[in-house]
Amino acid sequence: MLNVNAQAKVFPLVPADELLPKLRDRGQRAWVWLTGENLNYLICSDLDNFSSAKKITDLALLYGLTRQWCGRETWSGTARLKDFLTDIFHDPNFIRATRLSPTLYNQFMLAYLAFRSAGDRIDEYESFLMHLRRAGYPATKETLPCRVIELQYYLWKSGIRRTELNWGRTYRASTLGQCRTPAYLSEVDVYVISHIIFYYSDFCGPIKNMPGVERQKAVELMECMLIRYWRTSNLDLMAELLLNLVALDRSDTVLFRSATASLLHAWRPDGVLPGPGVTKLFLDEADEQAVFQRCYHTVLVGFLFCIGYMRRISGNCGQDVGRTQAYSSFSS
Amino acid sequence: MWVERKRIHHSARSARRWLLNRKILAQDAKQQLQRLFGIFAVNDILEEPNYADRSLTHLITRPPSRAESYIDADPILVLAVYRWLRSHGVKWPDLDKLVESYAATINDMSFSLDHELTFPCTLLRKCGFDVRMPARENLYFPSGFSLIAATREEIFELCRLLMVSTACGDHPFLDDELRIVLPGLAVDYACASDFEGACTVLRACAYIGVGETTACRWAAEWILDQQQADGRFGFSGPGMTGGCDETERWLMCLVPTVSAVWSLAELCRPAFMLGKTMHPASYNGDDSLS
């Protein structure tokens, strides 16, 4: 007789009305983990290192989106996060790395643009942006379509570009625009596709003016890939794809709620959402810095998923609302 | 048509040419049944039930010499091929005896029949045997989302159960979760280059009525992409490029090729094996090949 081992990754469906408090709770814990003492691990590494800059970009983006989405009910610790980022952007090594390459709009500049989206300005970078414009950048820069979309998004968010992204030639030339089947997509391709949806939806939607055919294709692709990466327990991509589905207005399905229940269950009480390939043994035995390096991106995108869902479903993604209820619901 | 019909027909024709290779006459009954079943599936895809060239006539008028190996054959394939041969007026005495023994065994059972016998019993009835049928009952399967954590073997077992219990989709099946998960699993297997996995899950999708979803189209197109220039399916490996003769290479690709055309046939017409009813005792069709 068939005896499917259902215990490993599948958990009872979370009723729709319980999803919001549970996501708020996990978001709360992820936020504390991201913006607490762990922040120091970001400056332990060399700041002029490209992968450090990527982490700073993600953090600056998180800061900008939290400010934008949560408004006055912004989360406690936001001021500390702003101070932390400001210190990094004033670090001579970071400034040097930003100005080093004339081909510019590199990862270091993207980090600043993400920071700028919250309305903050730093003179060194502002003057450099003017020099770049005079030199013909970013138009002079030749880039892959997905990078063009990324850059246009950051320019728009930072207030330098006035118009939002449109579903024109660049989209059509992108991986998502060209994709006819997911059968040959690599993991990197799936990340590219999920990021394209992030940029066009301003991360959690609603998406404006997306052609119906493209929307349908995106939903079907995301749902197929969600099943694929759920099976391999890749929580990083699961969180990205779930946020994509929120943006695409597909968060009321059984698939979405079942996958979310699985993601919620994997979230540890200390706020850690295990990164790809991270085992329970690793989490139990590795030091905090090692855990931070391996789980940072997954916790960050998991947090964005939580507040993105809260913003779209309840219109409120502040920390304070329902805090007591959220904490009490963790063990349920 | 959810996949371009012209492409499916071209692929099916090419696979049939490969299956009909006259130089190879498998002596093993199990292999011979698989081969004929593949041809039968192609004929259904192409809507050519009476197709019979010289190669096919040559093939079906030579029953396997090692009849004892029928014992290993899948009863579903046995019944499907038996029915198809009889509809063309062809008799293989050993095969006839085997099918008669199936019917006798079922009727001799003193206890109620398991629902897994639904499909064999349906096929036996279509072949003209008066056999009992399992009682209609609600079927219980694991929750669709539990398949996320299931092993390959468990998923294959579920697909087999879906085939026999629903009689390849002839009996209605209601489980919304499976309808969501199975097409995604078919794509997952395609992404993982698991040919047999994609074919098996795709057939199960056809049985539960979701064969025309976009995900199934993606999986079906991936299967079609795997066909080689000579019509066979299956991946090239070290054993296929050297070190073995033509017959061995042919046998290596027999199962994947039959699996592919079977899946395509189920997608084009679920429960195609059930086709029209016939009566072996009185059958005297005009399409006799013998």
Side-chain angles (χ1 to χ4, degrees), chain B residues 128-139:
Chain B
F129 292 94
D130 184 20
V131 291
R132 297 156 59 205
M133 284 294 288
R136 287 276 182 134
E137 56 183 274
N138 291 329
L139 306 177

Side-chain angles (χ1 to χ4, degrees), chain B residues 64-104:
Chain B
S65 56
R66 295 210 311 266
E68 69 278 9
S69 60
Y70 276 129
I71 202 78
D72 297 333
D74 180 346
I76 301 295
L77 254 60
V78 168
L79 288 169
V81 173
Y82 166 84
R83 182 158 182 253
W84 182 64
L85 288 175
R86 293 298 295 259
S87 73
H88 287 80
V90 176
K91 289 185 179 183
W92 287 2
D94 291 319
L95 190 65
D96 294 355
K97 278 185 209 157
L98 183 65
V99 172
E100 282 160 17
S101 75
Y102 288 166

Side-chain angles (χ1 to χ4, degrees), chain A residues 127-315:
Chain A
S127 64
F128 193 47
L129 278 169
M130 277 178 52
H131 297 329
L132 283 175
R133 188 176 296 174
R134 205 173 296 125
Y137 288 93
T140 310
K141 191 172 166 62
E142 190 166 315
T143 328
L144 292 170
C146 63
R147 293 287 167 222
V148 173
I149 291 168
E150 179 186 46
L151 181 57
Q152 287 178 351
Y153 172 75
Y154 279 108
L155 289 170
W156 171 65
K157 287 298 285 180
S158 64
I160 293 171
R161 178 188 158 104
R162 296 203 183 280
T163 53
E164 283 184 63
L165 277 71
N166 63 55
W167 301 92
R169 199 167 45 188
T170 311
Y171 169 77
R172 288 197 299 274
S174 71
T175 307
L176 180 58
Q178 288 292 321
C179 185
R180 298 287 174 270
T181 171
Y184 301 105
L185 292 178
S186 67
E187 194 172 297
V188 173
D189 295 331
V190 178
Y191 272 109
V192 167
I193 285 178
S194 84
H195 280 235
I196 288 171
I197 294 291
F198 283 160
Y199 301 139
Y200 274 98
S201 66
D202 196 11
F203 279 78
C204 75
I207 301 181
K208 297 173 193 163
N209 305 322
M210 186 176 192
V213 175
E214 292 300 322
R215 178 186 286 269
Q216 182 64 22
K217 180 176 82 176
V219 165
E220 287 168 337
L221 268 175
M222 297 305 168
E223 291 187 338
C224 263
M225 291 299 101
L226 179 60
I227 288 173
R228 175 161 176 71
Y229 290 101
W230 186 3
R231 271 172 66 72
T232 57
S233 295
N234 186 330
L235 301 173
D236 199 83
L237 265 173
M238 273 183 80
E240 291 208 359
L241 294 165
L242 285 168
L243 181 54
N244 289 157
L245 290 172
V246 170
L248 289 160
D249 299 317
R250 285 284 288 187
S251 58
D252 58 348
T253 64
V254 182
L255 173 63
F256 178 90
R257 284 195 286 133
S258 297
T260 301
S262 176
L263 191 83
L264 290 173
H265 193 270
W267 225 310
R268 287 163 49 109
D270 61 1
V272 172
L273 188 59
V278 169
T279 60
K280 186 175 181 304
L281 185 68
F282 176 83
L283 290 171
D284 290 342
E285 294 186 352
D287 62 44
E288 284 184 357
Q289 185 170 1
V291 171
F292 180 80
Q293 297 297 345
R294 295 277 300 272
C295 301
Y296 170 76
H297 183 266
T298 310
V299 177
L300 192 143
V301 77
F303 173 76
L304 285 178
F305 164 57
C306 292
I307 64 168
Y309 181 87
M310 286 155 64
R311 177 175 162 78
R312 289 299 309 281
I313 301 304
S314 71

Side-chain angles (χ1 to χ4, degrees), chain B residues 255-289:
Chain B
V255 171
T257 303
V258 172
S259 192
V261 292
W262 182 7
S263 300
L264 294 173
E266 296 288 8
L267 286 171
C268 290
R269 193 159 71 93
F272 78 98
M273 277 182 254
L274 295 178
K276 63 181 181 183
T277 306
M278 59 141 194
H279 304 283
S282 58
Y283 186 77
N284 186 21
D286 297 331
D287 47 0
S288 172
L289 299 173

Side-chain angles (χ1 to χ4, degrees), chain B residues 36-83:
Chain B
L36 288 175
F37 180 74
I39 295 164
F40 166 36
V42 169
N43 290 353
D44 202 81
I45 293 169
L46 298 172
E47 297 176 50
E48 295 173 354
N50 300 328
Y51 174 86
D53 65 1
R54 288 180 61 189
S55 297
L56 184 55
T57 309
H58 175 80
L59 210 60
I60 64 176
T61 50
R62 286 167 179 73
S65 56
R66 295 210 311 266
E68 69 278 9
S69 60
Y70 276 129
I71 202 78
D72 297 333
D74 180 346
I76 301 295
L77 254 60
V78 168
L79 288 169
V81 173
Y82 166 84
R83 182 158 182 253

